[in-house]
Amino acid sequence: MVSKSIVWFLIVAGGAALFAWQGWYNVAANVPHWDATVTAIELIRDRSIEAHSRGISVPALDDARLVSDGARTYDEVCRYCHGAPGVPSAVFAQGLYPAPANLASDAFRRDFKEARVFWVIKNGIKMTGMPAFGSFFEDVELWAAVAFVKRLPGIGAEEYRSMTAKTDKAGP
């Protein structure tokens, strides 16, 4: 005799398969997720980052050179999606869903955890547009970006321009 729980499982699994196969869930980037979907994704994301970033040893991040190097890296690869003081994100980033985090916000500053930010920068996050920079940057470069991002909420537009100014090192 088949138990009721097996029957219910088969009904739910069949319904989920039909739902997916028929394409009833709209995956368009310009249509927000359902509230329940957002809640589930955020829970899974946050718990995954927390679990995978445990045990990461955080180096000293207050070295001025490290912050300076991180500012240049941020300007080269991060500001297009996340924006910067006095610099809006690129037009393409405004169409990303979910929207890239505002790394200069008070909310980001309040929740900032160095090991977690390092893990995200290094490994990326699936289906968000956040690439895994650990594929082509060394850890020291990633830590420099973390050092800069840690300071980002307190940096104004003029200071950002000064920190990211390109210097011409070509000589005669």
Side-chain angles (χ1 to χ4, degrees):
M1 180 176 215
V2 178
S3 76
K4 289 181 184 179
S5 58
I6 292 174
V7 171
W8 278 113
F9 174 78
L10 292 174
I11 290 171
V12 170
L18 180 65
F19 181 82
W21 190 257
Q22 292 298 318
W24 290 332
Y25 187 81
N26 189 348
V27 297
N30 61 352
V31 176
H33 291 298
W34 299 331
D35 290 344
T37 306
V38 170
T39 300
I41 290 170
E42 288 176 348
L43 175 68
I44 292 166
R45 178 201 63 208
D46 293 347
R47 297 304 307 142
S48 176
I49 293 168
E50 171 67 25
H52 288 93
S53 65
R54 275 190 211 120
I56 293 176
S57 180
V58 179
L61 298 177
D62 55 356
D63 178 81
R65 177 138 177 119
L66 191 66
V67 173
S68 177
D69 290 347
R72 285 189 295 282
T73 299
Y74 184 92
D75 192 59
E76 290 173 9
V77 297
C78 305
R79 72 174 166 91
Y80 296 102
C81 291
H82 296 284
V87 183
S89 59
V91 172
F92 74 84
Q94 296 169 21
L96 291 174
Y97 185 78
N102 178 353
L103 304 181
S105 71
D106 287 336
F108 185 79
R109 177 189 297 203
R110 187 175 49 253
D111 296 337
F112 187 90
K113 302 281 188 276
E114 292 91 346
R116 292 180 193 174
V117 173
F118 174 81
W119 188 90
V120 168
I121 293 170
K122 183 171 184 163
N123 298 287
I125 301 177
K126 292 177 182 177
M127 299 182 353
T128 66
M130 178 65 195
F133 288 109
S135 301
F136 41 91
F137 281 101
E138 298 294 325
D139 281 2
V140 68
E141 296 169 298
L142 301 177
W143 281 117
V146 173
F148 174 73
V149 169
K150 184 175 184 176
R151 288 205 44 216
L152 188 59
I155 296 173
E158 188 60 38
E159 184 179 3
Y160 180 78
R161 280 193 296 278
S162 172
M163 293 176 82
T164 59
K166 309 287 189 267
T167 56
D168 185 9
K169 295 190 180 183

